[in-house]
Amino acid sequence: QLLVLRKKAKHQARSRQDSLLADFLSGFVDGHAQELGAGELQEWQELMVCDDETLMNLIAGYEQPSEALDKAVLKRMQGYLATSGPRNPFAPKW
């Protein structure tokens, strides 16, 4: 069951319309999927219903999440953004 949910999360991450969001989500899933339990993977599914702009704003903290979306996986994603955030393609070292 968990394996299927993790594969689904990986597919959903890559399938976002916004390529920057897809890259961010793919990196998050690659780095954290094995740590996510059934509850957090269900929370992931709830977040994937959001449109790209809303999801980006929630992760970046520009919008306050509803109680239904203010869950552990969103906090993990926000932490991932804070520690590995957007990459500067012109930086001398990635």
Side-chain angles (χ1 to χ4, degrees), residues 30-76:
D30 289 345
H32 297 280
Q34 296 304 316
E35 303 166 9
L36 300 178
E40 287 179 307
L41 289 167
Q42 182 57 42
E43 294 168 10
W44 170 276
Q45 294 304 317
E46 294 165 13
L47 284 170
M48 292 302 107
V49 174
C50 297
D51 64 75
D52 286 359
E53 184 176 352
T54 300
L55 186 54
M56 286 189 284
N57 286 335
L58 288 171
I59 294 168
Y62 297 147
E63 281 185 32
Q64 291 299 317
S66 66
E67 279 188 41
L69 296 177
D70 194 14
K71 305 287 183 174
V73 75
L74 178 59
K75 302 223 183 311
R76 276 188 189 246

